[in-house]
């Protein structure tokens, strides 16, 4: 098995300069462990807890930023899509289209994404079992696009809480598709702050270690230079300066587990 | 408080004749208790468990059927919408637009639905707490459309299982909007049959009784003349001949609770 | 089917005078609906959230109080037992031995209780499914004592929260034993106050109505003249003056559902 | 931090020869990694799913076996206790008394165990949050015995299923007491086989790896030479020949995480 790859970036794109700054720091953080990374950024937060939450830069500006990051850093870029008619447009700018967890059962979105021929990262709905993703992946695969990844971002556990069931990673891997663990949204407390989601970023490192120890092809970690003032998912994002040391530990565990 | 109203119909529209036949039987079932009813039918099942599940008649044919049922029976009609660009179109044919549970956090869909000026029935996501619906309703209300109903269709409880938390009905009613209990999807076992959702229709009557006893403005009950051979949600739909007697019991409980 | 019976009393016994006062008020509250009642009181709260919680009067004094209440009011009395060697002793003073939810899998306790020949009220563990109670009841029945009742007091739902799954009542009734709904502990928030359990007594009436509407042989409702200052389970107990009016509504629903 | 220790043995004691055979193989499995081990065996399975499940050898014979294993192998031994009056007796034969998860709120049992002065391993109830264990540990500590370990064996997640929330390990460690992860019972499907509990032993290695990666002082792993024919918890126990290789991987991860 290969060493894990990393999907990293801010929750939402803020500006080209900001994306550039973060991409540079992510690249530096990945250097020691030679971790391949995919730059992630959202141009539209389409499902905020409340209307007061910032939506983002919008498609035009956001996709242009991602496109530039790809060119400048030579890394693949990823963004999430929310309606069928976004897929073709976003596919022109990015390498990987991401299906949000809430939308992972929307057949038309899965088909439209699949039909772009881009790689598709599908987040497991918080309301689904790991084995329910077999049928979800099959919807994308029906388009002839088998370039699929399945991503765990936590499962509903009572109200305003998620739990990470690590039995889900090997179960989803039975599909034959690579599996990713989203260490950022797994520590979210959905709606936990009333008008926004809470979370506990101190749990990102232990859960990321757990995922790598169980065995994962990819990690998803959102990061920011000042998470507490980030426009979304601040409570869950780790500080950019903590990323490099975390990757060191994760890489060493990965090496034990995969025997490389 | 008024006696409860009923949203009833097949899970998915099958043909005009079929819709007419069911609407007639529903009207008959409601006659003794003078229960006002809204005819419900889906023209597109956009989030089936697997690709093999039938999608339905499509928007054009489906909306035409609903429009005719409205004219012939003089009852309001309801359908569900899945992407923003469906809202205006569906609003021409129906009285109530329904936001599916998986989509209840999609801001654009909520706004587009609200902007039609039609009544909006929002299903609570299986992944949300009752109080999370305050912010969901506020998104629709921000369009100036306060004609909102909130509907409980069960909450994630472990894998492939939902549970109905009846504390949610009075909690959602604190918004000031009427609250509906969906007795059909609450007994669903999502993904429970592998390629489709299972369910247990024998639990529809007790849960419907519980909802009325707790206090509800509306019940949502899907029904069919032959549920075991229906194209979707068969395990959860009750037989049409069982609807009338059930309404009799429910009406009597409603009368006790609301004191009319 | 018979009208429901009521198990009522304080959470923990405080004194003979206090028990007498409550029993009298419970009797008055039950008079209008002719609801048969069982007086309930605990002599030892053996599983408080923290060591600081009051344990109670102890077996000797507590059982003497229950015995006197039985004599003076002519009502059956119930208490809970926590270790095997308590069963025979408690059985001398009470009519019904109750197995606490946490202990419902302890084989020796179930057998010792069963062997007393008294009626046994077994609370469903918060960690068990309704169908798991088949085997629990069978342990008691193996003693030749079939005088068994099964009682639902909520099921674990995430952390510090319980949910009442009303499908459990008919499922447990499939055992052939009468089923009780504990409206008091079902609204508990276990450990929710840090050193003690929280709760929400405003949800007792709606959940009790739901249980009666689903169909139940018995209700369990703890009550107190001043719940906010009661030594345990105060947040969940209803005020004694609210019991009578609640029973009126519940009796009317019961009459609808059971057709008497 | 020290390398993790191991609690290992059969679920229930079968005979002295059997215990000896297993202890020898456990010792061999631990040799390469120099993992210190505690031999675990139950003399009484006091809370089987159904009455048909075997109870075990009983206290006299079981404790004698444990005592001999301690003498012959020079390892500490552990057993579980279920009623207060067992504590003093069991304490004469073993080094560590274990409080079963269902019983972790029983004040008298915790106090009686604490008063023996032995080390106490308290399993977190499936119905408790990690932070609820603060008060549980304080009950034991109130006896002056601070020789406490807290052990996670899964949390209720819907019906007949447990989930391991790995955020619980660091949270319980905030008590200052060492924390153990029970990889055997965490993969249990309680009541999942109707008259007995099911489980999935293939998930023991990944969850054990996750626990070590998160950081744990101790692992609890039941093992057997022929798990499928073991008298209890067979589906969850790993084959004894798989223990040594698993420990090799776990030790390497532990070394990464703890930096030794």
């Amino acid at each position: 098995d290969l060493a894990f790859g990393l999907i990293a970036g801010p929750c939402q794109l803020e500006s080209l300069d900001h994306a550039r700054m973060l991409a540079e720091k992510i690249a530096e953080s990945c250097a020691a462990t030679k971790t391949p990374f995919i730059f992630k950024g959202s141009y539209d937060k389409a499902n905020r807890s409340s209307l007061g939450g910032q939506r983002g830069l919008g498609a035009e500006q956001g996709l242009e930023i991602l496109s530039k990051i790809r060119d400048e850093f030579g890394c693949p870029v990823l963004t999430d899509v929310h309606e069928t008619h976004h897929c073709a447009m976003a596919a022109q700018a990015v390498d990987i289209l991401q299906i949000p967890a809430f939308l992972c059962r929307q057949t038309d979105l899965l088909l439209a994404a699949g039909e772009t021929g881009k790689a598709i990262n599908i987040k497991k709905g918080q309301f689904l079992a790991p084995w329910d993703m077999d049928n979800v992946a099959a919807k994308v695969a029906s388009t002839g696009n088998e370039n699929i990844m399945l991503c765990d971002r936590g499962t509903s556990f009572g109200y305003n809480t998620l739990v990470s069931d690590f039995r889900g990673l090997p179960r989803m891997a039975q599909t034959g598709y690579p599996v990713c663990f989203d260490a950022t949204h797994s520590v979210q407390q959905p709606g936990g702050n009333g008008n926004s989601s809470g979370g506990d970023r101190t749990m990102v490192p232990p859960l990321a270690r757990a995922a790598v120890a169980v065995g994962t092809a990819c990690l998803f970690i959102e990061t920011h230079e000042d998470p507490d003032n980030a426009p979304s998912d601040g409570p869950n994002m780790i500080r950019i300066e903590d990323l490099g040391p975390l990757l060191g530990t994760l890489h060493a565990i990965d090496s034990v587990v995969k025997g490389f």
Side-chain angles (χ1 to χ4, degrees), chain A:
Chain A
D1 284 357
L2 294 171
F4 70 84
L6 178 71
I7 300 172
C11 181
Q12 65 175 254
L13 294 165
E14 299 177 26
S15 71
L16 176 56
D17 282 349
H18 184 256
R20 217 175 242 149
M21 178 273 292
L22 272 180
E24 198 166 305
K25 289 182 189 278
I26 292 168
E28 288 167 16
S29 306
C30 289
T33 51
K34 295 182 183 158
T35 302
F37 79 96
I38 295 157
F39 186 81
K40 179 266 163 186
S42 294
Y43 59 81
D44 182 16
K45 306 308 294 178
N47 55 22
R48 300 297 304 259
S49 293
S50 72
L51 205 55
Q54 289 180 40
R55 285 289 295 260
L57 297 177
E60 197 177 353
Q61 199 182 342
L63 293 172
E64 195 182 317
I65 291 173
L66 289 169
S67 191
K68 285 192 174 152
I69 295 292
R70 173 166 58 173
D71 291 347
E72 294 181 22
F73 291 85
C75 64
V77 295
L78 171 153
T79 200
D80 44 334
V81 287
H82 303 87
E83 297 225 19
T84 52
H85 61 279
H86 295 179
C87 293
M89 173 186 61
Q92 295 184 320
V94 305
D95 306 281
I96 305 176
L97 294 176
Q98 181 170 286
I99 307 295
F102 290 159
L103 301 181
C104 75
R105 280 278 294 271
Q106 303 305 313
T107 304
D108 287 339
L109 184 63
L110 293 162
L111 296 179
E115 279 156 11
T116 64
K118 296 287 175 179
I120 311 297
N121 183 32
I122 317 173
K123 297 227 181 163
K124 184 185 81 61
Q126 300 88 333
F127 44 85
L128 289 187
W131 44 89
D132 294 334
M133 293 299 283
D134 297 0
N135 282 318
V136 168
K139 290 183 183 178
V140 174
S142 77
T143 65
N145 181 348
E146 294 265 3
N147 203 350
I148 294 168
M149 183 156 67
L150 302 178
C151 180
D152 191 337
R153 49 92 79 234
T155 301
S156 290
F157 178 66
Y159 291 135
N160 302 310
T161 311
L162 298 171
V163 70
S164 296
D165 180 359
F166 284 102
R167 296 170 300 189
L169 301 183
R171 178 58 188 82
M172 291 200 293
Q174 288 180 16
T175 57
Y177 301 118
V179 171
C180 181
F181 179 72
D182 175 348
T184 297
H185 295 93
S186 293
V187 305
Q188 204 178 40
Q189 289 155 346
N193 288 350
N195 288 330
S196 64
S197 287
D200 180 1
R201 84 169 62 94
T202 69
M203 289 296 166
V204 171
L207 293 192
R209 293 197 302 266
V212 172
V214 167
T216 190
C218 189
L219 283 173
F220 179 110
I221 299 178
E222 290 180 352
T223 181
H224 199 269
E225 80 286 2
D226 182 13
D228 290 331
N229 293 302
S232 56
D233 263 324
N236 313 317
M237 285 197 282
I238 63 168
R239 287 176 197 84
I240 180 65
E241 64 264 31
D242 295 332
L243 182 60
L246 175 58
L247 290 174
T249 305
L250 297 176
H251 190 261
I253 297 173
D254 202 32
S255 160
V256 167
V257 172
K258 294 181 183 158
F260 57 76

